[in-house]
Amino acid sequence: MENPHIESLSLRGTFYDNILSVGISSLSIILAVTWIVARLWNGKLPYRPGVFEFGIGVFAVGCIISTIAASNRRAGITDSITILSSMMTAFVLGQIADTNARKKLLLFAIIAIGTANVYQCSEQFFSSNKFLIEEYEQAPGIQLEQIGIEPGSFEHMLYEHRLYSKDVRGFFTTGNSTASFFVLVTFCIFACFDFKSSIKKLWIPAVLVLIFLFGLFETHSKGAIASFIIGIILLFLTVRFGSVLRQRQVLIISAIIILAVIGTAFVVNYGIKHETLPGGNSMLVRWQYWSAAVKIIRDNLWTGVGGGNFGAYYTQYKIPQAIETVRDPHNFILNIAAQYGIIGLAGFCTAIFWPIIKICRQGKLSVKSESEENRITEIITNCGILAVLVLLFIRPAFARTALGSGEINSTYIFAIMYIITTMYLVPAFCFGIIFRLCTKNPEQLRNHQLNNGAILCGLIAMLIHNLIDFAIFEPGIMTAFWVCAAIVYTDYRTENTVSSQAAPTKLKKTVLAAGAIAVATLLLWFCIIPGAKAAIKTERANQLFEKGEIEEATALLISANRDDGLNPTPGALAGEMFIHKFKKTPKNSPQVLLRAEKVLLAAIRRDRTDYNNYKNLAEVYRIMAQINSSERAVWSEKALAYFQKALVYNPSSANLHAEFANIARQQNKIALAIEHYEKAIEIEDAFREQFRIMYPDRDVFSKMGNINYINAKEKLEELIRMRQKQ
C-alpha cells in the first residue's frame, strides 16, 4: 500500500521507484487481462459486461487519446497504466471474491494494512519526525544535499516549513493521504462486523475503530476528519431511516444534485470575489490550483494534457503570486478532466458513481450470505501466510531505505536493527495479528451479512475528502478504493444479470488469445523494458555524477536516452550535467556545450512544455555568446529566443524575466529589457505580498532572491535614465 511513484527526481533511488511502480502496474494489467481471457475461454464469465466495466473501457479510451496528445508521453503512459491497473485489479478481485466470506477477507486485508499504517504513523509521531528534525539541525547541509535542495533557495524554505510541521504520513506521501485511507478503512470495519452482537464479540471492532480514530488524530487532517463525520452522519441516516430514504430516493437524489450545483456555484463565486476560499492558507492555495486547472481544462477539453503532465502545464497557467508549484490540482474531478479530457472524466465518473447509484436505487444495503464457503479456513491461512511473507521478504527487496555506510560497530549495527525492526518486522507483525483476529471466527465470516451501506458511506466520505486532496491517486489507496467499489457493484450485478456459460468458438478463442498476447507485448515493449533500461542507467548516472565522474555519467544518460525514445528525463539531466561540466572547467572545449544543445533539443522534442529545458538551452546559448565573440550576435539571439519560449511555459517566473531582460540589455534592446525587468519586479512584489498574507509572523522570503531583486531594480532605474537621455 506504499506509494512507489515519487514525483521529485532529485531523490536517490527515485528512478528505481518509478520503474517499480510501472512494473507492478503493468503486471497487474497483464494478470487481470489473463484472468478475464481465461474465464471467457472456458465460458465461465460470471455475467455479461455491465456499466462498471463500460466506465473502465471509456476511461481507457480517454487514456489513449490523452497520451497521444500529451507533451510528455512517457509520463502519460505511466500515469494511465497506474490508474487502469488499480481499476482492473479491483474488478478481478471483486469477481474472485464471489462469496460473502471472500469479500470480507479482502476488506480484512485492507483493515490489517491500515493497522500497519497506524503503527508507522505512531512511530513518526513519537520518534522519527523528532529525530529527523534533530538530525537536520545538527547538519542541515547534508540532509539538503541528499534530497537535492540548494541551501537558501525557496525550495529550502518550503522543506523547512514541511519538516517542522511534523507531517505524519505512514507509508504514503502526505498525512492527508494517510488520513483519507483511514477514513475508508474505518467504514470497512463497520461493513464487516456485527455491531448488534454481544459486548463480548464487539471488542475487536471497537478496538479497531479506536485505533483508526487515533490514526486520524495523528495525521491532523481537518479535511479527512470532516469527511469522516459526514460519512458517519450518512451511515446513521441509512441505518435509522433506510426505509424512508428508499421510498423517496428520486427526491433525495435530485436534492443532492441541486445542493451540489448550489455549493459549486457558491465556491466559485466566493473564490472569484475574494481570490481565496474559507479555511485558511490551505484553501487559499487550493483556489489557486483549481483556477489554473479550470483554464487547462478550457484549453484541452477533449484530449486533456495527458496523465502526469499537469505539473508542466500548471506553471503556464498559475498566477504570479502563487506560493507553490504543484503536480496535482488537489481535486479528483479537476485532475481527471485536466489530464484525461472529457472522455476520460466520463469513464472515470461512470465507474465511480454507477455502483453508488445502482445500490441506492436497488434499496438493499446488506448482502445475504449467498453461498457457503467450505474452504474458508484454508483460504484464510494461505492468504495470511502469503501476505506476511510478502511484507517480510518481498517488500524489503524493493523498498528504498538509506542505511548509510560507515564503520561496522555497535552503533551502526543497532541502527540497522532499529530500521529493520521498525520498518519491516513490526508492520508485518501488525498486519498478521490483526488479520488473524479479524478472521478467527469462520462462522462470522460466512453468516454475518456484509453491510454495503457502510462501504458506500466510506466511498462517499473519501470522495468528499478528495475534492480538496489527491489521496485517491496514490496507487495503494486507489486500489483499496476500487476494490471496495467493485465489491459493492459485483453484488448488484450478481443479483441482476443473467450468467453467461456458453463456451466460445475457436475464432473467439483465437481473438481472445491474440488480444491478451498483444496487451502483454505492448506493456513489455513500451513500458517495462525501455523504462527499466532507462531507470537503471539514469540512477547509476546520478551516482557517478555525485562522485564527480561526469563523463561516465553523461555517457550513461545518452545511452538511456536512446533506450527510451519517449522519456525526456535522461536528455534533460545530461544537458544539465554538460553545462555543469563546462562551468566547472571553463577551459573545456565548446563541444561540451554543443553536446548539451543536442540532448536538450531531444528532451524538448519529447516534452515541449517543460520550461526547464528551454531555460537550460538558453543558458547554453548565452555561454556560447560569451566565449565566441565572432558569432556573439547569433548566439545571443538564440539565447533570447529560448528564454522567451521558457517564459511561454512559465510566465510567472520572476527570475526568467530578469534573465531575459539581462540578455536584452546586453543586445541594447532597451525597451524589451525594461519591460521584463518591470515584469520581474511586479511578480516578486506580488509574491511578497502573498507571503505576508499567508505568514504574517515570518520574515518575508524572496522567491527571486534578494540580490537578484535589488539588481533588477538598479538595472531598471539605469535603463530608464538611459532612455530618458535618448
Side-chain angles (χ1 to χ4, degrees):
M1 301 299 289
E2 293 166 283
N3 179 29
H5 186 69
I6 307 297
E7 300 286 0
S8 173
L9 298 181
S10 60
L11 289 173
R12 295 173 182 172
T14 293
F15 300 99
Y16 290 145
D17 289 344
N18 284 340
I19 193 56
L20 172 62
S21 177
V22 172
I24 292 173
S25 299
S26 300
L27 181 61
S28 298
I29 292 176
I30 291 171
L31 291 175
V33 170
T34 302
W35 182 88
I36 293 171
V37 168
R39 300 286 289 185
L40 289 169
W41 185 285
N42 296 320
K44 293 181 179 179
L45 191 65
Y47 54 78
R48 295 189 301 271
V51 178
F52 181 73
E53 301 88 321
F54 175 76
I56 297 176
V58 172
F59 178 73
V61 172
C63 289
I64 294 171
I65 294 172
S66 66
T67 300
I68 293 172
S71 171
N72 184 342
R73 291 180 178 173
R74 172 56 63 208
I77 292 172
T78 299
D79 259 48
S80 295
I81 65 172
T82 300
I83 297 177
L84 282 171
S85 69
S86 295
M87 299 170 81
M88 295 182 68
T89 299
F91 165 72
V92 171
L93 288 175
Q95 301 310 304
I96 294 174
D98 55 356
T99 67
N100 193 56
R102 291 185 181 185
K103 290 179 175 66
K104 285 188 178 181
L105 282 179
L106 279 178
L107 297 179
F108 286 149
I110 293 173
I111 293 168
I113 291 171
T115 309
N117 264 282
V118 174
Y119 157 75
Q120 187 67 16
C121 286
S122 300
E123 196 276 333
Q124 292 167 357
F125 185 81
F126 292 108
S127 177
S128 62
N129 280 351
K130 181 181 178 181
F131 174 77
L132 191 64
I133 291 173
E134 291 175 351
E135 186 183 56
Y136 172 77
E137 291 175 344
Q138 290 174 3
I142 295 175
Q143 198 171 116
L144 292 173
E145 182 184 358
Q146 289 176 344
I147 57 179
I149 292 179
E150 182 181 349
S153 65
F154 178 68
E155 289 74 19
H156 181 190
M157 187 274 292
L158 288 179
Y159 175 73
E160 280 195 348
H161 175 70
R162 288 163 184 159
L163 178 67
Y164 287 104
S165 67
K166 300 179 181 179
D167 188 31
V168 174
R169 62 190 182 278
F171 293 116
F172 297 112
T173 303
T174 66
N176 284 328
S177 295
T178 304
S180 191
F181 180 57
F182 289 163
V183 169
L184 181 63
V185 173
T186 305
F187 283 93
C188 289
I189 297 171
F190 295 141
C192 291
F193 290 95
D194 183 8
F195 282 80
K196 296 179 181 179
S197 60
S198 63
I199 297 178
K200 184 179 179 180
K201 295 181 179 179
L202 275 178
W203 76 270
I204 293 178
V207 169
L208 288 174
V209 170
L210 290 175
I211 287 173
F212 287 107
L213 289 178
F214 178 69
L216 271 177
F217 164 77
E218 289 179 315
T219 61
H220 297 296
S221 175
K222 297 176 183 177
I225 293 172
S227 66
F228 175 76
I229 293 171
I230 293 172
I232 289 294
I233 294 172
L234 290 175
L235 182 59
F236 170 77
L237 292 175
T238 58
V239 173
R240 183 69 178 83
F241 305 104
S243 58
V244 177
L245 295 176
R246 284 192 291 272
Q247 292 172 5
R248 295 172 174 80
Q249 57 182 269
V250 175
L251 178 63
I252 292 171
I253 292 174
S254 301
I256 291 172
I257 294 173
I258 293 171
L259 287 174
V261 172
I262 293 173
T264 303
F266 170 79
V267 168
V268 172
N269 181 65
Y270 189 97
I272 292 173
K273 186 178 294 184
H274 301 280
E275 295 186 351
T276 185
L277 293 174
N281 290 341
S282 63
M283 294 309 297
L284 184 153
V285 296
R286 277 166 174 75
W287 174 252
Q288 295 172 354
Y289 307 159
W290 299 346
S291 300
V294 169
K295 295 174 184 176
I296 294 173
I297 294 167
R298 177 197 64 196
D299 294 344
N300 303 272
L301 180 63
W302 294 103
T303 63
V305 298
N309 281 253
F310 181 87
Y313 278 83
Y314 180 73
T315 56
Q316 183 180 350
Y317 289 90
K318 74 171 185 174
I319 59 175
Q321 65 266 33
I323 295 290
E324 295 181 329
T325 298
V326 293
R327 295 177 178 268
D328 185 282
H330 290 58
N331 178 293
F332 77 94
I333 294 176
L334 294 178
N335 181 303
I336 296 296
Q339 297 193 115
Y340 298 97
I342 196 70
I343 297 174
L345 179 64
F348 193 84
C349 289
T350 298
I352 281 183
F353 293 112
W354 189 255
I356 297 174
I357 293 172
K358 295 307 292 184
I359 290 296
C360 290
R361 291 193 63 187
Q362 183 186 29
K364 294 182 67 176
L365 297 180
S366 293
V367 181
K368 294 181 179 179
S369 182
E370 62 286 314
S371 62
E372 186 176 354
E373 179 64 72
N374 295 320
R375 299 172 54 246
I376 191 62
T377 303
E378 179 185 351
I379 292 175
I380 292 172
T381 303
N382 292 339
C383 289
I385 292 174
L386 178 62
V388 171
L389 288 176
V390 168
L391 290 173
L392 282 176
F393 300 106
I394 306 299
R395 176 175 170 262
F398 292 102
R400 176 160 49 88
T401 305
L403 292 175
S405 60
E407 183 183 353
I408 300 178
N409 51 33
S410 58
T411 303
Y412 184 75
I413 294 173
F414 175 78
I416 292 177
M417 293 301 296
Y418 177 80
I419 291 173
I420 291 174
T421 302
T422 57
M423 292 197 65
Y424 305 117
L425 295 181
V426 177
F429 174 79
C430 289
F431 176 91
I433 195 69
I434 295 300
F435 188 78
R436 177 57 187 155
L437 286 173
C438 290
T439 58
K440 70 175 185 177
N441 186 356
E443 292 300 320
Q444 195 269 348
L445 280 173
R446 293 193 192 99
N447 299 329
H448 171 60
Q449 296 180 354
L450 188 66
N451 188 345
N452 273 337
I455 300 177
L456 284 175
C457 291
L459 293 173
I460 293 170
M462 189 172 175
L463 289 174
I464 291 172
H465 181 224
N466 279 271
L467 290 173
I468 60 170
D469 204 71
F470 61 86
I472 197 173
F473 295 107
E474 294 213 29
I477 299 174
M478 183 163 46
T479 302
F481 176 89
W482 285 112
V483 164
C484 292
I487 285 174
V488 170
Y489 185 62
T490 51
D491 288 329
Y492 167 79
R493 293 294 292 164
T494 301
E495 294 190 5
N496 292 275
T497 310
V498 177
S499 297
S500 174
Q501 298 291 335
T505 62
K506 289 185 178 180
L507 177 61
K508 288 183 179 179
K509 287 185 176 182
T510 303
V511 172
L512 289 171
I517 293 171
V519 169
T521 302
L522 287 171
L523 289 172
L524 285 170
W525 190 257
F526 287 102
C527 298
I528 298 177
I529 294 175
K533 286 182 177 179
I536 293 170
K537 291 179 180 178
T538 303
E539 194 62 50
R540 178 59 181 159
N542 274 342
Q543 295 169 0
L544 290 171
F545 180 75
E546 290 177 358
K547 297 177 182 178
E549 301 175 14
I550 300 178
E551 192 63 36
E552 294 83 355
T554 51
L556 274 176
L557 288 172
I558 291 171
S559 176
N561 204 43
R562 290 193 297 266
D563 289 333
D564 190 350
L566 296 176
N567 193 346
T569 302
L573 288 176
E576 292 179 5
M577 288 184 187
F578 280 128
I579 294 171
H580 175 82
K581 179 180 179 180
F582 187 87
K583 288 182 176 180
K584 187 177 181 181
T585 312
K587 294 182 180 180
N588 274 318
S589 167
Q591 288 297 321
V592 174
L593 295 175
L594 295 178
R595 293 172 71 187
E597 176 192 30
K598 183 178 179 181
V599 292
L600 286 170
L601 285 172
I604 288 170
R605 285 193 296 271
R606 297 176 186 184
D607 187 357
R608 63 183 179 276
T609 58
D610 187 347
Y611 77 92
N612 283 299
N613 293 328
Y614 294 104
K615 182 186 74 172
N616 290 331
L617 188 55
E619 179 66 9
V620 169
Y621 293 142
R622 187 188 66 78
I623 298 172
M624 290 293 289
Q626 288 179 342
I627 65 175
N628 193 335
S629 57
S630 62
E631 297 182 356
R632 181 167 296 165
V634 175
W635 293 116
S636 293
E637 282 296 329
K638 284 188 173 184
L640 203 65
Y642 275 91
F643 266 122
Q644 199 157 23
K645 289 181 179 180
L647 282 169
V648 170
Y649 295 107
N650 192 1
S652 61
S653 171
N655 280 321
L656 278 180
H657 282 284
E659 291 175 16
F660 182 89
N662 288 336
I663 296 177
R665 175 172 169 268
Q666 292 169 4
Q667 296 184 19
N668 205 31
K669 296 180 179 180
I670 306 300
L672 193 60
I674 289 175
E675 176 189 347
H676 284 274
Y677 278 132
E678 289 177 338
K679 190 65 178 177
I681 294 168
E682 176 189 338
I683 292 171
E684 176 67 13
D685 288 340
F687 172 83
R688 292 184 177 208
E689 182 59 31
Q690 182 82 91
F691 193 93
R692 288 190 189 96
I693 294 172
M694 294 180 66
Y695 308 107
D697 299 329
R698 299 184 61 175
D699 294 334
V700 174
F701 190 91
S702 174
K703 190 173 184 180
M704 186 180 181
N706 283 320
I707 295 176
N708 292 335
Y709 182 61
I710 293 170
N711 286 340
K713 281 192 166 185
E714 291 175 350
K715 290 174 182 177
L716 176 62
E717 292 174 359
E718 179 186 342
L719 290 176
I720 290 175
R721 286 196 299 269
M722 288 176 58
R723 188 171 63 177
Q724 289 173 347
K725 290 180 180 179
Q726 293 175 353

